Amino acid sequence: MKVQVPDHIRTLVPYPPGKPLEELEREYGISGSIKLASNENSWGPSPKAVAAISRALAGLHRYPDGSCYYLNQALADRLGMQPEQIVFGNGSNEVIGFLVTAFLRPGEEVITSHPSFLMYQKFVQIQGGVNRVVPLKNMRHDLEQILVEISKKTRLIFLDNPNNPTGSIIDPAEFDAFLEQVPEQVIVVLDEAYVDFVSPEQRIDVISYINSARQVVSLRTFSKAYGLSGLRLGFGIMAAELADYLHRVRQPFNVNSLAQIGGLAALADEEHYQNTLNQTREQRERLMAEVTELGCKPIASHTNFFLIDVGGNGKALYENMLTKGVIVRPMQAYGYPDYIRITIGIPEENERFVTVLAAARQELGYE
Ligand SMILES: Cc1ncc(COP(=O)(O)O)c(C=O)c1O
């Protein structure tokens, strides 16, 4: 091919999404399979969001409201923030991209942990930036080492809290001490995609940092606790001055009209939200006990997913489980070859998962 592709794009490895159910069933000629691989909400979307979206379908010939006015007002009220401090995206993924586009020049640096959500490093590479990657320590962000990695070229630090894939959290006091030592020109992004699942007393009070003019951004999403992964709706909370720059780099209609309407309805659906949190907690405890009984080692998690040391190669186990119609996430790409990551399912899915896990481990001779 004659086209010249820049090195940083040629070497980009695409994000590996969880295998779609339809693809698995086509490949293996099976049906009734289950997916516990992408940390979605196993209890489904908010029924109120579904109803509101159905009512809005007839208006699809119109462009959406580019300012997400009603959603923005409702969310700002809920959070006690100004509407100017919130930027919406096509998933929080898109807001990660806005941050990198707005604040990183080619050659400048971003610090992330490994393993953590893979998209931070990909956006940095797309922008021609430099990834400084700090390994997790005991499956937690190594804040001390992150401080060591900060240089004059550092522009952003991304910390997923809770961390994906380990489900660990940063202690609020530890974060406070860390932030004290981060130079003012560096933006600290707390990716709080799973914060809803963390018990309130263990959460970092990110809003108070933002209100006290600290260089902190919080990323949140409707994909997890609100059950709207398919709509693509997320947002960032930050100083209005930072938000203003993000608005400059986004498309005028980056959040579609159904996402705006669905998000607004989901926000008001307290019953669905609380039910998700309660059921997730209950099922997580049950599942962890059951996999322990099988001889596996689950890792304690503050989210709707957790890691399991399966006592043998996780990729081989993943492939075996696929043939039995259960999709989980192998973890060797994240540096944990003996682990799988599973999303907490509804009771019937969890039962099927445990049965298939036991059968697959037995077939593979794992102890
Ligand atoms: C830590 C983390 N951040 C962000 C995202 C992206 O979420 P969204 O669906 O809002 O783009 C995910 C998705 O799995 C995630 O695990």
Side-chain angles (χ1 to χ4, degrees):
M1 199 168 66
K2 293 265 163 50
V3 175
Q4 294 195 11
V5 181
D7 275 353
H8 63 283
I9 300 299
R10 197 174 38 74
T11 55
L12 198 59
V13 180
Y15 178 81
K19 200 176 184 66
L21 277 176
E22 297 77 12
E23 186 182 309
L24 173 78
E25 298 196 340
R26 251 194 336 267
E27 270 175 28
Y28 291 91
I30 52 179
S31 60
S33 43
I34 59 168
K35 181 182 174 196
L36 300 175
S38 296
N39 307 338
E40 295 150 340
N41 185 329
S42 298
W43 284 269
S46 146
K48 289 191 176 148
V50 173
I53 289 166
S54 311
R55 288 193 297 272
L57 289 173
L60 281 180
H61 57 303
R62 302 284 181 205
Y63 280 107
D65 170 2
S67 72
C68 301
Y69 180 83
Y70 293 107
L71 180 61
N72 194 4
Q73 294 289 328
L75 202 53
D77 269 2
R78 171 73 61 98
L79 296 167
M81 307 296 283
Q82 297 303 313
E84 296 74 25
Q85 295 180 289
I86 301 172
V87 178
F88 291 94
N90 185 34
S92 56
N93 246 289
E94 195 184 32
V95 187
I96 299 169
F98 295 158
L99 287 162
V100 172
T101 308
F103 301 120
L104 191 74
R105 295 183 194 86
E108 291 179 336
E109 297 173 2
V110 174
I111 305 178
T112 52
S113 296
H114 182 78
S116 70
F117 187 51
L118 295 174
M119 287 308 298
Y120 315 132
Q121 291 172 29
K122 299 207 182 293
F123 280 119
V124 172
Q125 191 175 341
I126 291 167
Q127 183 78 354
V130 177
N131 280 302
R132 293 271 206 145
V133 182
V134 176
L136 294 184
K137 191 173 168 187
N138 301 325
M139 294 200 171
R140 303 181 67 223
H141 290 292
D142 185 351
L143 298 184
E144 264 177 46
Q145 191 55 36
I146 289 175
L147 287 173
V148 172
E149 290 294 324
I150 295 176
S151 78
K152 286 211 166 60
K153 289 185 171 177
T154 308
R155 296 290 166 263
L156 292 147
I157 300 171
F158 282 97
L159 296 168
D160 47 1
N161 187 50
N163 169 259
N164 178 7
T166 65
S168 67
I169 53 170
I170 302 170
D171 174 67
E174 205 188 326
F175 181 75
D176 195 66
F178 164 77
L179 204 57
E180 282 296 313
Q181 296 177 72
V182 176
E184 254 182 79
Q185 72 274 15
V186 178
I187 299 168
V188 177
V189 183
L190 273 184
D191 179 348
E192 302 192 300
Y194 301 97
V195 75
D196 307 84
F197 299 104
V198 178
S199 58
E201 70 281 3
Q202 290 180 299
R203 294 181 196 169
I204 291 172
D205 186 1
V206 68
I207 301 295
S208 79
Y209 288 117
I210 296 169
N211 283 339
S212 58
R214 303 296 286 271
Q215 66 286 26
V216 178
V217 171
S218 163
L219 298 180
R220 308 260 175 104
T221 182
F222 282 84
S223 297
K224 310 296 176 183
Y226 291 98
L228 298 175
S229 303
L231 269 189
R232 313 303 302 124
L233 180 64
F235 58 98
I237 315 165
M238 65 205 82
E241 192 187 339
L242 295 183
D244 183 49
Y245 289 112
L246 265 56
H247 284 300
R248 298 182 198 196
V249 303
R250 70 173 178 85
Q251 290 183 48
F253 304 118
N254 64 313
V255 178
N256 72 73
S257 48
L258 301 182
Q260 294 185 35
I261 282 161
L264 188 61
L267 207 55
D269 193 346
E270 195 60 27
E271 191 186 342
H272 171 266
Y273 178 79
Q274 285 303 337
N275 181 54
T276 294
L277 303 191
N278 295 339
Q279 300 267 13
T280 301
R281 200 174 313 115
E282 201 179 301
Q283 291 300 315
R284 186 173 64 209
E285 278 165 26
R286 189 182 132 195
L287 252 182
M288 289 181 92
E290 287 182 4
V291 299
T292 306
E293 224 164 86
L294 290 183
C296 296
K297 294 194 189 78
I299 305 297
S301 162
H302 294 265
T303 63
N304 66 343
F305 60 86
F306 62 93
L307 288 178
I308 306 173
D309 178 346
V310 294
N313 185 279
K315 179 91 190 304
L317 186 85
Y318 156 78
E319 277 159 9
N320 185 301
M321 291 182 78
L322 276 187
T323 65
K324 299 175 171 61
V326 176
I327 310 177
V328 298
R329 203 49 103 100
M331 283 287 117
Q332 100 272 26
Y334 290 76
Y336 299 133
D338 289 351
Y339 287 76
I340 57 169
R341 190 194 68 197
I342 66 147
T343 306
I344 291 138
I346 57 173
E348 305 86 81
E349 291 173 323
N350 297 336
E351 271 165 38
R352 168 108 176 259
F353 162 76
V354 172
T355 309
V356 167
L357 174 67
R361 286 182 80 244
Q362 195 174 29
E363 278 172 32
L364 294 166
Y366 293 178
E367 283 307 320

